[in-house]
Amino acid sequence: MVGIIDDTCLRYPLGTRIKIGDNCGTVLYVGEVLGYQGTWLGIEWDDPKRGKHNGTIDDKHYFYTEHPTAGSFIRPGKVGPFQSLEEAARERYLDYSENALDQQLMREAQESLQAAFFEVVGMDKLARKQSKFEQLTDVSVDNCPVNSAGYLKEFTMLTTLNLSHTLVWNWEIVADICRQIPSLRNLSLDCNRLVVPSDLDISNLSPAFDNLRFINLRECGFKKWSDVMQTALLWPYIESLSLQGNPISELSVVDTTKIFKNLKELDLHRTKLCDFDQVCKLSNIKTLEFLNLMENGIEIIKFPECESDAKLLDVFPALENLNIFHNPIWNEIDAFNELDKLPKLKRLNKTPHLKSDFNEMFVNAVSMISNLQVLNKAQISPEERRGAEYDIWKKYAPEWLQASMKPETLKEFYKKHRTYALMLKKYGSPAEFIPRSNVKVSNLIKIRILHSETGDVWEKKLPRMITVQTLLGLIIKRFHMDSDTAPQLCYVDHKHPELIVPMDNLSKSLDYYSLQESDTVLVKWQNSM
């Protein structure tokens, strides 16, 4: 019995990944079970519904599972077969088997050997004459029972390898693959469970990963950030890392002299991060350009304090692209004001607040993040920026005027509205837009409507609450235009003629766009914009 157990232990070391049907699990015990004959494998299943217990039988603990019903015992004979990467790739890409060798090639070999048959030991060499592995640049063996490398020297041009949903379970296997394929740059290991490497493993294996640039570890079961950092010691020069779907809720400061030395992209999509203070612990990664925080539980964005006219040069100093889609951020104005502290932020992805819409979010984001160039993949034009800034310039005019009466309150105002001082330099004082309580404001305003092609001008008094849709109808009728080719409207502030604001929301009123007496509405067509 001892010999059988030893052989089983060699075949199934603790940590080995196995697959039965569609269910994958990890071997946590090999040996006898009291009261039952033979050798058993104690398995922790990825799906707890597949198991029966937590590794305890008749009050005796054999192994421990995280979920109380994730464990079970199985006979070694029930475990499905394993493959090497070479075998899986050959099967998927070359459809090679011993019975499927090219018949012409076999006849030529028989003639050259002057024999009716030849030994099986020659099969591999013969098969490799048919191989086109050297032409492959991308290989995917996802969902194959791969748990070893095999012979991979023929992958001379391979740059991208997908090992998702396989049975790769330790970094020795991955290192063997990378050593044999020095051209490999992109490696996907998502939905595998890999043993955290020891310090000795890191010392022995890390040179094998020097050429890797991208690693995908989506849904690999990482729960502790310390395990991520220990594993990252294997590949300190990685440029892109995906940890999507790993239930990590706490982070810690990274020692960039040891790991993430060249990290440019980090994907933390759908982890368990709820506290933005945890995210700030990564702010010392000086090379980080893209950070994906999509679908986490972040409610508040808060950075360290700094002067309203300064940036945080030591906090995410290279970050240009941030994705905070589908986070329950409850005050997006405060969030945008905080994001303006980042020195290089140019691209932002964010879901509008439930109480706002995209147009409102667009105005707030563009006006409050001074370097922003792209919002939700939409390029921000100079006209859109001027329009957004102009709206915010007028919106906060009363608050600014009240705050300006005392230096300390004005400083606090600029702290909450970091970009407002820049708007004052561009557009001057907004005092005239501040309603005076003792002055009755007329519901009518007189505006100029300019036909951009003919130069015709129409001066008209209109209600402040008239919609852009209604105004457009009046303009089409007044200038005898074809209603099938409706023009586009925008307005020019008479005191700031360089400011041209598109009136692209037909349901909004003139008051919404803050049109004032003597402003000009331009009537344009697409080809004349």
Side-chain angles (χ1 to χ4, degrees):
M1 177 64 72
V2 174
I4 295 175
I5 293 177
D6 289 344
D7 182 68
T8 305
C9 289
L10 290 174
R11 182 169 174 77
Y12 301 104
L14 298 187
T16 298
R17 297 283 289 167
I18 59 101
K19 186 174 184 179
I20 297 178
D22 294 329
N23 294 288
C24 291
T26 304
V27 176
L28 297 184
Y29 174 81
V30 180
E32 297 178 334
V33 177
L34 190 64
Y36 299 87
Q37 292 184 348
T39 302
W40 296 84
L41 301 179
I43 308 298
E44 181 176 21
W45 298 100
D46 296 352
D47 181 1
K49 295 177 183 177
R50 173 65 175 80
K52 298 178 180 179
H53 49 71
N54 65 350
T56 301
I57 296 290
D58 298 331
D59 296 325
K60 180 176 175 59
H61 292 285
Y62 293 91
F63 61 96
Y64 295 90
T65 63
E66 183 173 340
H67 192 279
T69 64
S72 72
F73 287 97
I74 63 170
R75 294 290 191 183
K78 288 189 175 181
V79 176
F82 296 128
Q83 282 184 312
S84 68
L85 172 57
E86 179 195 12
E87 290 168 340
R90 192 177 298 280
E91 182 178 290
R92 180 163 290 190
Y93 289 88
L94 302 181
D95 194 26
Y96 160 71
S97 69
E98 292 183 5
N99 296 322
L101 283 171
D102 183 83
Q103 295 300 315
Q104 179 62 33
L105 190 60
M106 290 182 67
R107 284 194 295 270
E108 291 176 358
Q110 288 173 342
E111 291 174 2
S112 65
L113 293 172
Q114 295 181 348
F117 64 93
F118 46 91
E119 297 293 331
V120 174
V121 292
M123 284 288 191
D124 285 343
K125 292 183 180 179
L126 188 61
R128 289 180 188 129
K129 290 183 180 179
Q130 293 185 186
S131 173
K132 301 297 181 184
F133 282 175
E134 70 276 2
Q135 298 177 9
L136 294 174
T137 58
D138 299 73
V139 166
S140 176
V141 291
D142 59 309
N143 288 297
C144 293
V146 172
N147 76 341
S148 62
Y151 181 84
L152 305 173
K153 297 294 186 180
E154 296 172 28
F155 289 101
T156 55
M157 298 180 65
L158 188 67
T159 60
T160 301
L161 176 60
N162 181 7
L163 287 169
S164 304
H165 295 274
T166 59
L167 300 180
V168 172
W169 64 279
N170 64 51
W171 289 97
E172 290 90 340
I173 299 170
V174 184
D176 189 9
I177 292 170
C178 291
R179 284 193 199 97
Q180 295 191 61
I181 313 175
S183 59
L184 191 62
R185 297 292 180 270
N186 309 305
L187 177 62
S188 180
L189 293 166
D190 56 297
C191 301
N192 290 303
R193 298 289 186 273
L194 292 105
V195 177
V196 176
S198 66
D199 291 341
L200 182 59
D201 290 334
I202 291 165
S203 177
N204 293 334
L205 303 178
S206 60
F209 300 98
D210 285 348
N211 293 330
L212 275 185
R213 294 296 174 263
F214 170 82
I215 291 184
N216 185 351
L217 296 175
R218 179 175 63 90
E219 297 183 15
C220 283
F222 285 104
K223 298 178 179 66
K224 298 178 182 179
W225 182 248
S226 57
D227 289 344
V228 173
M229 291 199 296
Q230 175 72 7
T231 305
L233 291 168
L234 286 169
W235 16 265
Y237 302 106
I238 205 73
E239 294 180 4
S240 181
L241 172 63
S242 175
L243 294 168
Q244 176 181 335
N246 289 282
I248 302 168
S249 60
E250 294 184 3
L251 306 177
S252 58
V253 176
V254 171
D255 183 353
T256 55
T257 65
K258 296 181 178 180
I259 63 173
F260 300 160
K261 297 180 180 181
N262 298 329
L263 190 67
K264 295 180 180 179
E265 300 177 354
L266 179 59
D267 183 0
L268 296 174
H269 176 190
R270 205 168 59 247
T271 54
K272 297 291 185 180
L273 292 171
C274 297
D275 185 353
F276 197 75
D277 288 343
Q278 298 297 321
V279 178
C280 288
K281 293 177 182 179
L282 305 178
S283 64
N284 67 317
I285 305 177
K286 295 182 179 180
T287 56
L288 191 64
E289 298 176 1
F290 170 71
L291 178 60
N292 186 1
L293 297 173
M294 185 176 175
E295 291 187 292
N296 282 287
I298 297 170
E299 296 181 346
I300 299 173
I301 292 179
K302 184 68 176 177
F303 290 109
E305 296 295 338
C306 70
E307 294 297 322
S308 60
D309 58 350
K311 303 286 187 182
L312 292 170
L313 300 181
D314 57 347
V315 174
F316 293 114
L319 190 65
E320 297 184 359
N321 193 337
L322 177 64
N323 188 344
I324 50 175
F325 245 77
H326 301 299
N327 280 279
I329 296 171
W330 61 270
N331 191 325
E332 65 183 20
I333 291 177
D334 287 351
F336 295 149
N337 192 62
E338 288 295 312
L339 290 173
D340 182 64
K341 295 177 181 179
L342 298 177
K344 291 191 176 181
L345 185 64
K346 297 177 182 178
R347 307 174 73 92
L348 178 66
N349 288 284
K350 183 188 178 302
T351 315
H353 191 277
L354 291 175
K355 294 183 179 180
S356 70
D357 55 26
F358 176 78
N359 289 330
E360 184 177 347
M361 183 186 75
F362 183 91
V363 167
N364 290 328
V366 172
S367 62
M368 301 188 77
I369 305 175
S370 56
N371 293 329
L372 195 64
Q373 297 178 4
V374 178
L375 180 62
N376 291 4
K377 298 184 180 181
Q379 191 77 31
I380 300 166
S381 69
E383 292 78 17
E384 289 171 327
R385 176 168 293 282
R386 285 197 297 268
E389 289 176 344
Y390 196 57
D391 285 349
I392 295 300
W393 176 68
K394 288 185 286 187
K395 177 180 179 180
Y396 291 108
E399 188 179 340
W400 167 78
L401 186 63
Q402 183 70 26
S404 62
M405 294 180 180
K406 295 181 180 180
E408 58 271 21
T409 56
L410 185 60
K411 183 176 181 179
E412 190 64 25
F413 173 83
Y414 287 140
K415 181 180 175 181
K416 291 169 56 181
H417 308 283
R418 291 172 47 84
T419 58
Y420 203 81
L422 296 175
M423 298 179 204
L424 291 175
K425 291 180 181 180
K426 285 185 179 181
Y427 310 120
S429 171
E432 66 182 275
F433 295 101
I434 302 173
R436 286 171 280 182
S437 57
N438 61 339
V439 178
K440 185 177 180 179
V441 178
S442 172
N443 289 326
L444 297 176
I445 55 171
K446 185 178 180 179
I447 61 174
R448 297 173 71 251
I449 300 172
L450 173 62
H451 192 302
S452 62
E453 291 191 352
T454 66
D456 291 345
V457 175
W458 178 32
E459 293 191 352
K460 178 72 174 175
K461 281 192 174 184
L462 296 168
R464 292 178 182 272
M465 299 311 296
I466 191 175
T467 65
V468 176
Q469 178 72 59
T470 303
L471 176 60
L472 186 59
L474 293 174
I475 290 172
I476 290 174
K477 184 176 180 180
R478 172 63 175 79
F479 290 117
H480 307 291
M481 298 175 177
D482 184 357
S483 59
D484 292 335
T485 56
Q488 295 179 338
L489 305 183
C490 54
Y491 80 88
V492 181
D493 188 299
H494 70 285
K495 291 193 174 181
H496 302 278
E498 76 283 357
L499 184 67
I500 302 175
V501 180
M503 302 170 68
D504 47 11
N505 192 329
L506 299 181
S507 65
K508 297 296 184 180
S509 66
L510 301 187
D511 192 55
Y512 171 84
Y513 283 105
S514 303
L515 263 74
Q516 303 296 319
E517 194 82 15
S518 301
D519 284 352
T520 299
V521 173
L522 296 179
V523 184
K524 292 187 173 185
W525 280 261
Q526 186 65 36
N527 57 7
S528 63
M529 292 293 284

